[in-house]
Structure formats: C-alpha cells, structure tokens
Amino acid sequence: MAFATTGAPYYEQLLMQIKQQIVDGSLRPGDKLPSIRAMAMEMHLNPNTVSKTYQLLESQQAVYTVKGRGTFVNTPTKTMINPIAVAEMQTKLETVLTEARFLGVTEEQVQAWVTKAYRTGEQADEHQS
C-alpha cells in the first residue's frame, strides 16, 4: 500500500485502505490486523499514526481489540449505522459531485463509477456466503 505525498494525513489514508480491504473482502470478520508496531514497520509509519488509525476504526466499530491478543475485524451489523457519520459522508459526496460537475463529468459517468464500486463490494459479499 502506497501513501500519497499530498492530500489526506497518513492516518486517514491508512484508515481508508483498511476499510477498503474490509469492503472488498480481503479482510473478513475475525481476521487479525497486524500489531501496531508491525503495521508501522510494514507501512513505514510512526506507531502513533497506526495507533490513531486503530483507535478510529474501533470507535467506528469496524474492529475490536482483545487485550493481549490483538485487534480483529468486527462483524458488520445494521446497528453500526451512525446517522452523524452518514450525514458527514453525504456532505463529502455532495462536494465531490460539485467538483465532478465543474470538471464536466456527466451524471451517467458518475453513476457508472458508483455502480462499479458497489458491484465490487457485492462480489466480496458473495464470497463471504
């Protein structure tokens, strides 16, 4: 996993990479994440950056930690839906869509991108059954 040198902070980039792995099925419920130290070494990050990422994932109920055993991917449930996070995501999406319109991207192209992204997630879901 490579990090962009500009844009989002590294902890946010790592957060999104882990979430993407959960969505695409390469990380499944019960899978153990590398220790903070191991992830920091693997990703060439400060351990505090990885720790912050893991804490955010835990606060979002994407992972859980068992003291002395490690951090594991949580089983997704409908109760995990956070209305505040959904509203924030909607605001971000509206910003991205404004930028897309400004750049001349058609609604059909955006819909195709969304469909492709969701189908990738559905294929991962089918493999979990």
Side-chain angles (χ1 to χ4, degrees), residues 9-112:
Y10 290 147
Y11 77 91
E12 287 182 4
Q13 292 181 52
L14 180 59
L15 181 78
M16 290 310 298
Q17 287 178 3
I18 293 170
K19 285 181 177 181
Q20 181 60 45
Q21 290 177 342
I22 291 170
V23 168
D24 72 19
S26 54
L27 280 176
R28 296 175 181 245
D31 284 354
K32 183 177 179 183
L33 296 180
S35 69
I36 290 171
R37 190 173 300 146
M39 179 70 86
M41 288 179 64
E42 177 183 337
M43 303 305 295
H44 305 287
L45 294 172
N46 184 304
N48 292 332
T49 301
V50 176
S51 177
K52 183 174 185 174
T53 301
Y54 281 19
Q55 287 172 5
L56 284 168
L57 286 166
E58 192 157 9
S59 73
Q60 296 171 3
Q61 300 178 349
V63 300
Y64 63 94
T65 301
V66 178
K67 191 148 183 97
R69 296 204 54 228
T71 301
F72 301 86
V73 176
N74 208 354
T75 303
T77 65
K78 300 282 185 204
T79 60
M80 289 174 57
I81 295 174
N82 177 340
I84 295 169
V86 170
E88 289 173 358
M89 194 270 316
Q90 181 180 0
T91 301
K92 289 178 187 177
L93 181 58
E94 288 169 354
T95 301
V96 168
L97 292 174
T98 298
E99 185 67 22
R101 285 195 320 263
F102 178 78
L103 294 172
V105 177
T106 65
E107 180 179 349
E108 291 77 19
Q109 182 62 55
V110 171
Q111 288 175 345

